[in-house]
Amino acid sequence: MAGGPKNLTADELNVRASIMFEARRFEEAKACAGVGLQRTDLLSNTRCLLLLNSAQALEKLGEDVAAAKAFQQAYGLKDELPPGTQARLLRALANRAARLGNVKKAELIAPSFLGVERMHMRAGLHAKLLVLRGGAHKGFRVAAQMQSHAR
């Protein structure tokens, strides 16, 4: 990184932390997010994304207490976030709850970011059909399976 991480903007550090996380370079992801979080002029959106990157890297490094604290700090920003970042935050929290074996909590969080209005059960459906505000979002991997009726 030419010039080091201190020369990058907070948004650039967030992207770099995400890339390092995907490359399984968790120490570097944690460091990039940490440098970004030291900035005083962060928007809530950027702060939340940096906290999520930090929390996920900390979790992979086995630093569970620090990861939980970062997730809690990110959740504290939820009311200040745009809808897309709120969805990302809630998805990360639901995934964490599922990883920790708290399936019930994950099932309670998931409808919040999916924007579920109602559930339908009808003959011919393999699973619950989720009716979403604004349609299904492929990014959340939401799918409903339908089976044709035998006539």
Side-chain angles (χ1 to χ4, degrees), residues 53-120:
N53 278 322
S54 176
Q56 291 168 337
L58 288 165
E59 200 173 42
K60 290 291 187 180
L61 293 168
E63 299 178 37
D64 294 329
V65 174
K69 183 179 176 184
F71 275 117
Q72 287 174 338
Q73 288 175 339
Y75 184 74
L77 298 170
K78 71 183 180 316
D79 294 331
E80 304 170 32
L81 303 173
T85 307
Q86 284 179 349
R88 184 170 172 190
L89 169 63
L90 292 171
R91 183 176 57 207
L93 293 172
N95 288 338
R96 176 173 167 75
R99 280 191 304 276
L100 295 175
N102 195 339
V103 176
K104 294 246 185 246
K105 187 172 186 177
E107 288 173 350
L108 289 173
I109 295 171
S112 300
F113 72 82
L114 292 174
V116 174
E117 289 181 346
R118 60 187 176 273
M119 293 184 194
H120 290 278

Side-chain angles (χ1 to χ4, degrees), residues 15-44:
V15 170
R16 179 135 180 100
S18 294
I19 291 168
M20 293 297 102
F21 183 84
E22 290 300 319
R24 306 188 62 74
R25 292 165 60 179
F26 305 123
E27 285 289 345
E28 289 177 68
K30 174 184 152 185
C32 285
V35 170
L37 288 167
Q38 291 174 0
R39 307 282 168 87
T40 57
D41 59 343
L42 291 177
L43 298 174
S44 297

